[in-house]
Amino acid sequence: MQRPKNRLEFLHTRPPPNYVAGLGRGATGFTTRSDVGPARAAPGAPAVDEFEGNDVGLFASAEYDEEDAVWDDLRRKDRREARLKEEIEKYRASNPKITQQFAGLKRKLVTLSPAEWDSIPEIGDYSLRNKRKRFESYVPVLDTLLEKARQEKEHVTALDSKSSSALGGTETPWAQTPDLTAVGEGRGTVLSLKLDRLSDSVSGLTVVDPKGYLTNLKSMKITSFAEISDIKKARLLLKSVIQTNPKHPPGWIAAARLEEVACKLIKRGCEGCPKNEDVWIEACRLANPDEAKAVIARGVKAIPNSVKLWMHAVKLEHDDANKSRVLRKGLENIPDSVRLWKAVVELANEDDAKLLLQRAVECCPLHVELWLALARLEKYDAAKKVLNKAREKLPKEPAIWITAAKLEEAFGNTSIVGKIIERGIRALHRERVEIDREAWMKEAEAAERAGSVATCNAIVSNTIGIGVEDEDRKATWVADAEECTKRGSIETAIAIYGCAIAAFKSKKSVWLKAALLEKSHGTRESLDALLRKAVTYTPQAEVLWLRGAKEKWLAGDVPAARHILLEAYAAIPNSEEILLVAFKLEFENNEPERARMLLAKARERGGTERVWMKSAIVERELVNSSEERRLLDEGLKLFPSFFKLWLMFGQLEERLGNLPQAKEAYELGLKQCPNSTPLWLSLANLEERMSGLSKVRAVLTVARKRNPHFPELWLAAIRAESRHGSKKEADILMAKALQECPNSGILWAAVIEMAPRLQRKTKSSDAYKKCEHDPHVIAAIGKLFWHDRKVDKVRTWLNQAHGTEDQQKEVMRKCIAAEPKHGEKWQPISKAVENSHQPVEAILKKLVVVLGKEEKAAEDNKHQ
């Protein structure tokens, strides 16, 4: 039995060539100096010192290891880099750069005078990127083209013996391999060669001798229509001559001679192409005014059915009678030209226009514009007959039906306008005409602009639903109405809302949008009628009842508003909103007992926190502190998390002078409502009055820790520091505030106000980039313009201030319409007890006075 081999015998054998251990499993091999053998000395290398060398001397018998190889590599690398650097320096010394060669000359350019600078010639661009390789293509051509090429070459050869080399290039006969590029060059070079003979090159500039050009122009003959482009080149050349020296007469003479050549050429063109209208029009353009009429006369004689030539002939006439005569002559030759008929009708008076249009519709019965124009000039009965004939000729034209509806409306027959549009749509359906809803909506808007409101309504009501799915009707129609409103088509929008209301009588959103449109563009009567109709179909929509009551109240009809609210409460007996609006109506009209009764009824029915707050407000207005305190106590037991009740409790104590009790009320409120900014600010203001800056800092620090992203708290702390002269601390707080609230408008507005005068523009730019549409930033920027007395810019930013009386009234009107409720400056004035029943106009005037005092105080502080 043979003994098995040892499995580890391969460890004692020699590995195969190029074997790398672990390569099969992904390991990366490396090579050492021992793998490649010792280095050989390069030919001509310097001898190695026996004492310090690598291979002889003291260590010649020592074993050569890898560290020695590394040192050898480093030494060779240093020598190699030094040698390379030396070679580069030698090369640069013997081959300097162009910039180095001209460095000395460039330094001497400082001594050149302006005249010497101007005399330096311009050099063209001869770079390779501007030299396109010409693509040569050889294709089969017609015999006529070959003959043309032969004639061109013969002509160029006759002009200049040198031109053959410029055009031909080779001795290959043209008849065998025609070069199309050379043919084009031949055409384009005919006049250039003539001009070259008349020019001289001086310092790179081409100077034309006008006398020589004028003499040789007589012998210049334009041999083909292709030379029109060469004439253009000559025009450019002579234009340069005239502009360079406008006092040189021969230049003008040469330019005139060139135009004479062009005129002769276009005359030949008219003779060669008498049926081409563009050639005649160009000849008319080149001719002088006296000859232009004769030229166009020959043109219309050669092409009597050219509308373009007849219209050009009309332009040459300056008298309306002559223009009309030319047009009538043209209509004799082209009786079916709508363009000529329109032009001649525009020049005629009403009676003549009517006769002309009667003839026009006979000659052009398929053009609806002529029929409609005739109908507009005819009286009622005759116009109806014209439109009936038009419908017979053009049964697929919707404009005829729309014009018929406008005609009836114009004569007061509005009752049949809708029937006409309805009949028209049915007739178009029978003719298989597609009813384009968008196009008909545009026709409705056009009818509105023309004053035909009934026609507009009829078009909308008959086409608004075409092509719209039932589930998409509401959204689509509302969107259509809004777009029409934006375009100023109010009657069209009202008609669309009318259709939407008819289809969705129970949708309060549609009624509201229609009411808003009536409020903006309608009358009080139309709005009242719409709202009355709305609550009839949607009696449970309290917002519609309230809208109706408010409109009556604004109109000054308080009894009517009360009546609407009574009807609303009867329809919705459990509506707290109706009760609160009724309370506001009585309260604002100085009926406190009525207001108390309504609120008591609301509290009995288990009113919300708003009811208790309103009840306390009534007692505050009546200066009944005990009853106000009782209501607040009861309200806080029911609604302890409603911060406004805590706020009113603290304000009550402050009014009574009980500052410790007020502080206690604010602190109790903050335990229930730790995120209420008004409570924190009220407590901070109270602490500042009682204890000074240190307590304010403590309160606002706690507030910011609990609510780090509330910019009002940061702003209060910053202003507190500023009021006490700690500007550095205020700046530090502002930096931290912007880190926590980087997009806060009130903070950026404060940054603008706090910045030094020279930095305000920069800060304003930064603030506007961060908060582009924020009202606080816009107001702060407006104040800057105000301080600089840039009144127009202030109006741009604020749309108010220092304007005329009309502008001030407009600002007041907008403020009243907006009914402001909030604002840092607005609320302290509007919510003051003495201003509780003041209208918006009075509060705004008081606010203006307060702002003026603040601005004056700020200016005085700056000057101190």
Side-chain angles (χ1 to χ4, degrees), residues 4 68 85 127 168 187 198 250 255 326 399 490 496 515 571 596 616 645 766 777 794 798 836 848:
D68 297 329
K85 183 178 180 181
S127 58
R187 285 182 169 183
L198 306 176
V326 173
I490 306 303
I496 294 173
R596 272 178 170 174
L645 292 177
D766 296 339
V777 173
V794 174
L798 302 179
S836 59
V848 170

Side-chain angles (χ1 to χ4, degrees), residues 595-616:
R596 272 178 170 174
M597 291 173 57
L598 289 169
L599 291 173
K601 183 184 293 186
R603 292 197 303 272
E604 290 174 2
R605 293 174 179 267
T608 63
E609 60 269 22
R610 291 179 62 204
V611 174
W612 293 92
M613 181 186 70
K614 300 289 184 183
S615 301

Side-chain angles (χ1 to χ4, degrees), residues 49 200 258 331 339 458 482 630:
D49 185 88
D200 183 25
L258 180 64
L331 287 170
R339 187 178 177 187
E482 291 174 350
R630 184 186 67 80

Side-chain angles (χ1 to χ4, degrees), residues 737-782:
L738 291 177
Q739 289 178 355
E740 295 290 344
C741 311
N743 298 317
S744 171
I746 59 173
L747 289 179
W748 279 106
V751 169
I752 297 173
E753 294 174 356
M754 293 170 58
R757 188 175 185 86
L758 296 177
Q759 297 180 11
R760 286 180 179 176
K761 289 186 178 180
T762 304
K763 297 298 183 182
S764 299
S765 177
D766 296 339
Y768 192 70
K769 289 177 182 177
K770 282 286 187 179
C771 315
E772 183 175 354
H773 301 292
D774 188 274
H776 301 90
V777 173
I778 294 175
I781 297 174

Side-chain angles (χ1 to χ4, degrees), residues 1 38 101 147 193 203 212 244 263 387 411 421 430 581 617 629 650 654 730 780-781 800 848 861 863:
M1 181 176 178
Q101 295 178 26
E147 180 62 22
L193 292 175
S203 300
T244 303
C263 291
L387 291 175
F411 284 90
I421 297 297
R430 287 196 300 269
V581 172
I617 289 174
R629 187 188 300 275
E654 284 193 63
I781 297 174
Q800 64 180 19
V848 170
N861 292 334
H863 293 302

Side-chain angles (χ1 to χ4, degrees), residues 107-180:
R107 281 192 292 270
K108 294 180 181 179
L109 290 177
V110 297
T111 61
L112 290 181
S113 64
E116 291 173 331
W117 270 108
D118 293 336
S119 64
I120 298 176
E122 297 290 338
I123 186 169
D125 189 356
Y126 294 99
S127 58
L128 292 176
R129 64 180 180 181
N130 289 330
K131 294 182 179 181
R132 297 181 179 177
K133 185 177 180 180
R134 208 174 276 280
F135 177 73
E136 297 181 352
S137 175
Y138 298 95
V139 296
V141 293
L142 300 175
D143 293 341
T144 54
L145 182 58
L146 295 175
E147 180 62 22
K148 185 68 176 177
R150 185 186 62 78
Q151 294 176 359
E152 292 284 355
K153 183 171 182 179
E154 290 177 356
H155 182 68
V156 173
T157 304
L159 288 174
D160 198 327
S161 59
K162 296 182 180 180
S163 63
S164 60
S165 60
L167 293 176
T170 62
E171 297 299 327
T172 304
W174 283 37
Q176 295 178 6
T177 55
D179 186 356
L180 299 181

Side-chain angles (χ1 to χ4, degrees), residues 47 51 141 221 238 333 382 458 506 510 513 551 570 654 661 804:
F51 180 79
V141 293
K221 294 182 179 180
L238 289 172
N333 293 277
S506 61
V510 178
K513 289 182 179 295
E551 294 302 327
E654 284 193 63
Q661 288 81 356
T804 62

Side-chain angles (χ1 to χ4, degrees), residues 42-103:
V48 180
D49 185 88
E50 291 187 357
F51 180 79
E52 297 179 350
N54 292 331
D55 298 326
V56 294
L58 294 175
F59 303 101
S61 60
E63 186 177 355
Y64 189 87
D65 56 12
E66 294 183 5
E67 293 184 1
D68 297 329
V70 171
W71 285 107
D72 287 346
D73 290 339
L74 291 175
R75 282 195 293 271
R76 282 197 299 274
K77 180 180 178 182
D78 293 340
R79 289 196 298 270
R80 184 169 62 253
E81 290 178 352
R83 185 171 62 254
L84 180 61
K85 183 178 180 181
E86 183 180 356
E87 291 177 356
I88 292 174
E89 291 176 352
K90 290 181 179 179
Y91 177 79
R92 288 179 177 175
S94 59
N95 298 280
K97 294 181 180 179
I98 295 179
T99 55
Q100 295 174 346
Q101 295 178 26
F102 290 95

